[in-house]
Amino acid sequence: MTAASRARRQDPDAQVVVFERGEWISYGACGLPYVLGGAVKDFDALVARTPAQMRARGVGIRLGHEVTGIDATAATVTVHERASGRTLTEPYDRLLLATGVAALRPDWAQSDLSGVHLLREIPDGQAIEATLKGLAGPVWWGRGT
Ligand SMILES: Cc1cc2nc3c(=O)[nH]c(=O)nc-3n(C[C@H](O)[C@H](O)[C@H](O)COP(=O)(O)OP(=O)(O)OC[C@H]3O[C@@H](n4cnc5c(N)ncnc54)[C@H](O)[C@@H]3O)c2cc1C
């Protein structure tokens, strides 16, 4: 989102479009544990820029759009639009990849054990929060707490 804003600032005539497969953009992932611990009110408090704020800056935000392929020769990307199930082909002049990373799941957590979560994105935090709320009794974090 930083790169998208900067591209737009440098060339106000540029058409800048961001495809985001999820529903959240521009938030402080480092705050996720603090929401779960209660030090930060909720996940919304982690958001730095909303899609509406980015659109007001002239950056097109397409939520729920997963890029599934790149054709560098034709200069197009293939995009799966989750809401409609459609597959789109979108042209580009310049392409910036900013996919982040995927969390590694250790061998001992490969199965569908309940209560085993990754913590990478806001939906992960929401899943952990839902699990914690479903637990009866106190939750103990780590050794000696
Ligand atoms: C719990 C936690 C604590 C952290 N604490 C710190 C800290 O204290 N200090 C620090 O510097 N960093 C911290 N980080 C790391 C920091 O959050 C990341 O370095 C940063 O978010 C990476 O930014 P990014 O834009 O590269 O990727 P991301 O923020 O992961 O953004 C990538 C986006 O691309 C989307 N995407 C991926 N593939 C596709 C696709 N094919 N099509 C469409 N969209 C796609 C994803 O949905 C995601 O929204 C922490 C991270 C976590 C999870």
Side-chain angles (χ1 to χ4, degrees):
M1 232 37 75
T2 305
S5 295
R6 183 155 173 78
R8 179 72 190 175
R9 275 201 307 276
Q10 289 207 321
D11 181 358
D13 296 326
Q15 186 189 3
V16 181
V17 177
V18 175
F19 295 107
E20 166 56 54
R21 68 181 169 192
E23 298 300 324
W24 299 82
I25 59 160
S26 191
Y27 60 89
C30 48
L32 290 171
Y34 298 96
V35 176
L36 295 170
V40 173
K41 185 164 67 82
D42 55 28
F43 294 107
D44 285 329
L46 304 180
V47 172
R49 301 265 183 277
T50 64
Q53 287 170 327
M54 291 302 293
R55 288 178 185 127
R57 292 174 172 210
V59 177
I61 304 289
R62 309 238 192 120
L63 300 176
H65 284 67
E66 181 169 16
V67 176
T68 55
I70 301 168
D71 183 337
T73 306
T76 58
V77 288
T78 308
V79 184
H80 176 72
E81 185 184 43
R82 199 177 51 231
S84 67
R86 287 187 308 160
T87 298
L88 319 170
T89 302
E90 298 282 344
Y92 65 84
D93 298 317
R94 306 267 179 93
L95 182 65
L96 177 83
L97 302 182
T99 55
V101 297
L104 285 178
R105 188 180 278 270
D107 289 344
W108 50 265
Q110 291 296 332
S111 72
D112 293 333
L113 287 174
S114 66
V116 177
H117 294 273
L118 303 173
L119 181 57
R120 173 80 195 101
E121 300 172 343
I122 284 181
D124 300 327
Q126 291 170 323
I128 294 173
E129 187 178 55
T131 298
L132 292 175
K133 283 182 177 163
L135 293 176
V139 176
W140 301 101
W141 293 95
R143 196 173 45 174
T145 55

